[in-house]
Amino acid sequence: MLNSVINPAGPPPVIRWPADGVHNDTGDSAPNATNLSHDMVFNEGHVVTIVTYSILMVISAIGNITVLSIILKRRRKAGTRIHAMLMHLAIADLLVTFLMMPLEITWAWTVQWVFGEPLCRIMAFLRIFGLYLSGFILICISVDRYLAVLQPMRLYQMDRRGKLMIGVAWIASFFCSLPQSFIFHVERHPNVTWFEQCVTYNAFSSKLLELGYLYLSMLMMYWLPLIVILFCYASIIVEIYRRSRESICGQGTDNVRRLGFLGRAKSRTLKMTIIIVIAFVVCWTPYYIMSIWYWIDAKSAMTVDQKVQRVLFMFACANSCMNPIVYGAFNIRTRRTLVTQKSTMVIS
């Protein structure tokens, strides 16, 4: 017997009607709490969702609006590529903050979907778009830093390349999110007919096709950004280390100064890399561990406490709170630091 929809707090690509659960042998389709499963009524898990998302929304809004306002002021005077990318990262995280998070709060409050078919499809697209865009902009920042260090003689191409990468990030996010608006739709519960939910039930012709879509989504949203970030910043550290070794063989004041800067740059890049990778892994890994569990064995995954499930799914959105802290702290620097960096022409 089909049961209620599971609506994990967070942006899972697929939500479906799980098996096992509410039985309505009387054929009564009228609202009656005694006929409903735990997931179909407002419970402690929904309270956790509302409270946690509200806190995340406030933190993310303050952090990203602060970073965005600082960047806009700096860009009027002397904007750089990294400022432009950080601006788009903040915009992506604000999309998550003001579109996805309020949706999750409202959805947890109403439990079922009460906004109709068109908004179901539109919000399914929007709730995932900001997350894709945030991940792709992180890729742009990593690649930009990589090219700035390993190809410093081609700086004249970097501005145009930076704009191109940002454009590709927006377009890729659109197309990666677009399937959501086709597979999500409003369904009535097969037994409790007054209960409607925005789900992907019956959207796939086979289990294999569904799993293919799920794992492709995981590849684009999790593995691709993680691999690119690791590769780019590891290469940067190796290159800075190589240059510092070459400087040791040089003589004179200029080489001593350059060596000192390279040491500081290596230390700063290493710290930034560690924090970026830890933040990304900590935010996204719990979400995908729980997601994969659902994809492989939904029945056993449902035995996990609902509050625990919702907290794990919400870790993904926490990345929008971490981005302004990590990238703002390391890339929005004082004018004095910027002048020092320009004079050395290392990591522009």
Side-chain angles (χ1 to χ4, degrees):
M1 186 72 70
L2 292 173
N3 191 17
S4 64
V5 66
I6 188 152
N7 178 23
V14 170
I15 300 176
R16 52 181 164 171
W17 304 92
D20 300 334
V22 63
H23 294 268
N24 191 10
D25 297 330
T26 63
D28 180 15
S29 61
N32 186 345
T34 60
N35 294 326
L36 306 181
S37 73
H38 185 67
D39 294 330
M40 294 172 67
V41 296
F42 189 81
N43 57 56
E44 64 278 4
H46 296 98
V47 174
V48 171
T49 298
I50 293 170
V51 172
T52 307
Y53 269 122
S54 298
I55 294 172
L56 289 176
M57 188 167 66
V58 171
I59 295 173
S60 181
I62 293 173
N64 285 291
I65 290 174
T66 300
V67 169
L68 187 60
S69 62
I70 293 173
I71 291 172
L72 290 175
K73 290 179 182 178
R74 295 272 175 88
R75 279 173 62 82
R76 293 192 192 102
K77 298 178 181 179
T80 62
R81 291 185 316 280
I82 193 64
H83 283 154
M85 291 181 180
L86 288 173
M87 181 181 71
H88 284 269
L89 180 62
I91 292 172
D93 290 332
L94 287 173
L95 289 176
V96 175
T97 303
F98 292 118
L99 287 177
M100 178 186 160
M101 292 185 185
L103 171 65
E104 298 300 332
I105 293 170
T106 306
W107 202 347
W109 181 265
T110 61
V111 183
Q112 65 174 313
W113 186 260
V114 297
F115 305 107
E117 181 83 22
L119 274 179
C120 168
R121 296 180 182 276
I122 292 171
M123 294 310 296
F125 170 86
L126 293 176
R127 75 196 296 241
I128 209 80
F129 177 80
L131 293 171
Y132 270 119
L133 182 59
S134 179
F136 290 156
I137 294 296
L138 294 183
I139 291 177
C140 293
I141 293 173
S142 302
V143 172
D144 179 78
R145 301 296 84 193
Y146 171 85
L147 294 174
V149 173
L150 274 73
Q151 299 182 14
M153 303 307 294
R154 302 178 65 178
L155 290 177
Y156 65 93
Q157 296 180 350
M158 295 297 285
D159 289 338
R160 185 176 63 180
R161 186 180 294 167
K163 293 177 181 177
L164 178 62
M165 286 193 297
I166 291 173
V168 170
W170 278 86
I171 295 171
S173 300
F174 175 83
F175 283 106
C176 287
S177 304
L178 193 59
Q180 295 287 99
S181 62
F182 292 98
I183 65 176
F184 272 88
H185 57 281
V186 174
E187 286 267 357
R188 288 182 180 272
H189 192 281
N191 300 315
V192 186
T193 56
W194 57 266
F195 189 93
E196 293 185 337
Q197 195 60 281
C198 183
V199 295
T200 63
Y201 184 58
N202 285 331
F204 296 95
S205 58
S206 68
K207 180 68 174 179
L208 184 62
L209 185 62
E210 179 182 340
L211 288 175
Y213 173 71
L214 291 169
Y215 284 112
L216 179 61
S217 299
M218 181 174 66
L219 173 66
M220 299 302 292
M221 189 176 290
Y222 178 69
W223 286 111
L224 180 61
L226 181 60
I227 291 171
V228 173
I229 289 171
L230 284 172
F231 172 79
C232 289
Y233 285 108
S235 299
I236 289 171
I237 292 172
V238 170
E239 179 65 14
I240 292 177
Y241 179 79
R242 185 187 65 80
R243 293 184 189 180
S244 65
R245 294 283 296 177
E246 291 177 354
S247 298
I248 293 176
C249 301
Q251 301 294 329
T253 305
D254 290 341
N255 282 324
V256 172
R257 290 176 179 173
R258 186 168 182 266
L259 177 60
F261 176 79
L262 285 171
R264 292 192 300 274
K266 180 170 67 175
S267 175
R268 179 175 170 275
T269 303
L270 179 60
K271 291 177 182 177
M272 182 171 65
T273 304
I274 293 172
I275 294 175
I276 287 170
V277 173
I278 290 176
F280 191 87
V281 170
V282 167
C283 290
W284 279 104
T285 301
Y287 164 74
Y288 273 113
I289 289 175
M290 197 68 224
S291 294
I292 292 173
W293 191 354
Y294 263 105
W295 303 342
I296 295 174
D297 187 2
K299 187 174 181 179
S300 65
M302 289 172 62
T303 61
V304 179
D305 184 85
Q306 285 291 307
K307 294 188 290 294
V308 175
Q309 292 184 42
R310 292 174 184 276
V311 169
L312 291 178
F313 280 121
M314 283 184 282
F315 261 88
C317 297
N319 200 46
S320 295
C321 302
M322 294 298 298
N323 283 337
I325 298 173
V326 174
Y327 285 89
F330 281 100
N331 291 288
I332 300 178
R333 297 172 288 277
T334 63
R335 185 177 302 175
R336 182 178 178 182
T337 305
L338 288 171
V339 170
T340 302
Q341 277 191 287
K342 288 180 180 179
S343 65
T344 57
M345 293 189 69
V346 179
I347 312 182
S348 66

